[in-house]
Structures are given as C-alpha cells and as structure tokens.
C-alpha cells in the first residue's frame, strides 16, 4: 500500500490510499459452464452459426485421465474450455468480460488515477484479475 496524496481541510486530514487486490481464479479455464458460454456469445452478438460451431466442438468432447498407468474409458467434458487450444483464451476472455464490465461500471469502486489518463479500476489477464482501489481515509482531531 502506498499513500497517494494527503490534504488538510479545516480540522480533517484526508489521505488517499492506493490499494491493489490480486484475484486468482483457481482452475478458471476448467470452470466455464458451457450453457453460460453459449449465452454470452449470443449476448455479444456472435452469429448463431458461429455459436453452433463452438457448441459442436464441445458437445461431444471427451477426455481420459491416466491413473497408475491405466487409461480408463473416456468421460464426457461438461464444462470448461480446452487448455492449449488457441481459441480457449478468447472464449475465456469473453466469458469473464461481464465481471470486468461490472467492475468498470461500479459506482463504489473509485480506482486509481494514473497521470492524465482515465481512472484504472481493474486489469484482467488470463485467469488473474487486479482490482485497484482508491480509498479516502478522513481523520479528525480537535
């Protein structure tokens, strides 16, 4: 934490604290619900043909997990996006964008001001989210 600025008004000292909170979504790529993903794609205006193509890629997806050197029968993949697939990063970003939009639209989050640029509230990269809080602390004395 760093103190960004301080000012004295009458008998009140106001101090602006710049705080960064780091959020790491554990196994984030594995937790994307497919129905939610289809809804998000439609909400963002992707053509239904594209949505159906993505659905087709995931509708019959199966995986096997080797246990003690034995590969059992495949199991159906019911959620998540495939790690290592170049499209997965983009699909994950689309799925997480409503969170980013909610953070940016929040009236309660003040963010931090970086020089002459607009306020910075959140940065999202893959499954890591940084939320910047600008908190004004007022201290009175007599």
């Amino acid at each position: 934490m760093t103190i960004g600025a301080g000012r004295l008004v009458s008998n009140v000292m106001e101090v602006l604290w710049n705080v960064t909170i780091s959020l790491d979504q554990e196994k984030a790529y594995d937790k994307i619900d497919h129905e939610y993903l289809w809804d998000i794609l439609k909400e963002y205006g992707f053509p239904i043909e594209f949505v159906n193509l993505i659905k087709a890629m995931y509708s019959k997806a199966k995986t096997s997990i080797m246990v003690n050197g034995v590969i059992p029968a495949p199991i159906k993949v019911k959620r998540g996006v495939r790690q290592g697939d170049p499209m997965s990063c983009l699909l994950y970003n689309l799925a997480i964008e409503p969170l980013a939009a909610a953070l940016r639209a929040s009236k309660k989050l003040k963010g931090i001001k970086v020089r002459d640029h607009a306020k910075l509230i959140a940065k999202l990269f893959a499954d890591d989210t940084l939320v910047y809080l600008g908190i004004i602390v007022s201290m009175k004395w007599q």
Side-chain angles (χ1 to χ4, degrees):
M1 269 188 267
T2 58
I3 297 176
R7 67 180 182 170
L8 181 63
V9 179
S10 183
N11 64 339
V12 177
M13 176 68 170
E14 289 185 341
V15 178
L16 174 63
W17 291 80
N18 294 326
V19 179
T20 303
I21 297 176
S22 176
L23 308 171
D24 180 47
Q25 295 105 39
E26 181 183 46
K27 301 208 181 278
Y29 279 67
D30 297 334
K31 294 183 179 176
I32 299 295
D33 180 75
H34 291 162
E35 293 302 319
Y36 168 77
L37 183 58
W38 315 151
D39 290 344
I40 288 296
L41 291 173
K42 290 175 196 168
E43 189 174 312
Y44 284 131
F46 284 89
I48 194 67
E49 297 83 8
F50 177 79
V51 176
N52 288 337
L53 181 64
I54 300 299
K55 277 184 182 181
M57 287 172 38
Y58 283 93
S59 66
K60 295 181 182 176
K62 293 184 179 185
T63 191
S64 294
I65 302 167
M66 183 183 295
V67 179
N68 295 329
V70 178
I71 301 174
I75 54 174
K76 183 170 175 28
V77 176
K78 296 183 179 179
R79 66 177 187 187
V81 291
R82 297 177 178 150
Q83 292 187 31
D85 178 352
M87 191 100 168
S88 292
C89 213
L90 299 171
L91 293 173
Y92 179 80
N93 287 344
L94 289 167
I96 200 74
E97 179 55 28
L99 169 64
L103 291 171
R104 287 190 298 265
S106 172
K107 300 292 182 208
K108 293 183 179 183
L109 294 176
K110 302 299 179 202
I112 60 173
K113 184 106 167 118
V114 180
R115 297 189 186 206
D116 296 332
H117 302 286
K119 66 181 180 177
L120 181 61
I121 292 179
K123 285 284 189 186
L124 288 83
F125 180 76
D127 61 349
D128 296 312
T129 302
L130 295 175
V131 181
Y132 301 97
L133 307 175
I135 303 169
I136 296 176
V137 179
S138 297
M139 296 174 272
K140 285 186 176 184
W141 72 89
Q142 297 178 356

